[in-house]
Amino acid sequence: MEVDRDDGNGPTYPYLLGATLGEGSYGLVREGLDVSTGKVVAIKSLDRRLLKKQRRGLENLEREIRVHTRLGQHDTIVDLEDVIDIKSKSRIHLVLEYMHCGSVQD
């Protein structure tokens, strides 16, 4: 696992990154470890430039975050645990509950 850190001038993120779990049109999902709690998470990293090129891409992402926030924790919905959005960086990271039972597409 590697430590996801800024270029030395910014914040140090509290997650270790592991294997890639999946890829999509706007980014990828990697296994992560919250170093402060030891909890395994899924980190969805989205490319801000690709979202901006897509019609309503950023708007759709903001809506996804709002819906997750409004729903809170729920037994049948993957929980959104954190959002790392540093405006000067090209990626937006959604830290999600890790589901150990595989892909929803399986």
Side-chain angles (χ1 to χ4, degrees):
M1 290 187 163
E2 65 187 73
V3 179
D4 184 7
R5 296 183 188 275
D6 197 84
D7 59 3
N9 298 322
T12 300
Y13 305 119
Y15 302 99
L16 294 175
L17 294 177
T20 298
L21 301 173
E23 294 182 40
S25 300
Y26 306 110
L28 52 92
V29 178
R30 292 180 69 180
E31 181 179 30
L33 178 70
D34 183 330
V35 295
S36 64
T37 66
K39 183 176 183 180
V40 177
V41 295
I43 301 177
K44 184 177 183 180
S45 297
L46 303 161
D47 189 318
R48 185 185 311 275
R49 292 171 299 208
L50 292 177
L51 288 169
K52 284 181 179 179
K53 289 180 182 177
Q54 185 68 22
R55 183 172 177 249
R56 288 190 250 174
L58 283 173
E59 180 182 322
N60 288 339
L61 176 61
E62 289 168 0
R63 185 176 65 231
E64 178 181 350
I65 293 168
R66 278 194 314 273
V67 168
H68 269 290
T69 303
R70 210 172 331 153
L71 291 173
Q73 291 187 331
H74 192 280
D75 291 342
T76 59
I77 300 172
V78 174
D79 294 331
L80 175 66
E81 299 190 6
D82 196 6
V83 177
I84 301 171
D85 182 10
I86 300 170
K87 302 296 182 195
S88 63
K89 299 297 178 185
S90 64
R91 291 191 137 343
I92 301 168
H93 307 283
L94 304 182
V95 181
L96 302 160
E97 174 185 16
Y98 181 80
M99 302 304 293
H100 296 276
C101 46
S103 170
V104 294
Q105 297 174 345
D106 292 340

